[in-house]
Amino acid sequence: MKIPKTALIAGCGYVGRRMARVWKARGLQVHAITRSVEKATELSNDGIEPIVFDLAESIIPPLPDVDVFLWCVGFERSSGASRQAVWIDGLKRLLNALPARGDEDARRVLYTSSTSVYGDGHGQDVDENTVPNPVAEGGQACVSAEALLREYSLRNSANISILRLAGIYGPHRLLRRIEDLRSNTPIASPPDEWLNLVHVDDAVSAIDAVSRMESPPSLVNVVGNMSGTRGDYYRTLAKLAHAPEPVFAVPSESTAKTTLASKAAPAMRRGGNRRVVSIVRESLGIAFQFDSIDDGLMDALHRSAASDA
């Protein structure tokens, strides 16, 4: 596989925008899909070529013939479109709209999935060999999208790499929680359950590494090696932000059973308790900067204060 010279990114948000800048700095010609005219202008100012359309719509304009295609589309409830419409139907239409390539010039397709696909591990470790068993809608959609990609790779000349990202944190992804801590707002989640995270800079480094590998992995968990509990995370954040100790309000067993099936408890439906590890990450040949949440949170707070996007 050749080092890519051109790239197309679907989803130029918190991760995708950073990835576009990295690839642009490496000399790649970068195209990015956005449904926002305002964001299209910002991308153009960064030297990134925008393609404006809505992934939930059926009409797709002609797409460039690129060496690498990255899907890192987040779910925006404000858009009014369902996960099925964007993450499954939109992905399928987009893949089918990409210009065809031969085996000797196969395209790299990178898909940012989620570690939520593993569901509840009952506090145990899960890795790339663990069979997915998602309990949340987002994890279920990711599993469906992963299956769609594998089917696509059988019918097309494409090298598929699925990157299951843990919870992403970093600059400007802390402010709401800090305000909650300072106001003693209770955190409605068990403090002793695992919280699997990856700093946004490490997520971008992993995606970049996979895009340039001669033989990239078909699946890798992108997660910090020093996972801690939710209590560890919020106590560290409170200390660094000079906020009071976190307050946890864990619902009783009867309340949990009642609210689990309702739409009033999104945090409880999100995943389950498991520690996500990777037996593949070492093959990427890169060192994460922020395996420790102490270092990652310190960096994120510092850059947030400095208004570093």
Side-chain angles (χ1 to χ4, degrees), residues 216-235:
S218 60
L219 172 65
V220 57
N221 290 336
V222 182
V223 61
N225 272 344
M226 299 172 65
S227 291
T229 64
R230 188 173 284 104
D232 295 333
Y233 174 84
Y234 285 113
R235 281 188 286 271

Side-chain angles (χ1 to χ4, degrees), residues 113-161:
S113 185
S114 168
T115 56
S116 64
V117 302
Y118 294 114
D120 194 351
H122 305 288
Q124 302 302 307
D125 287 2
V126 298
D127 59 33
E128 289 88 353
N129 290 327
T130 303
V131 177
N133 185 30
V135 296
E137 181 186 2
Q140 292 166 358
C142 284
V143 168
S144 296
E146 290 180 11
L148 183 109
L149 282 159
R150 293 188 180 102
E151 179 186 348
Y152 171 81
S153 69
L154 296 176
R155 296 182 286 103
N156 297 271
S157 296
N159 293 283
I160 307 294
S161 289

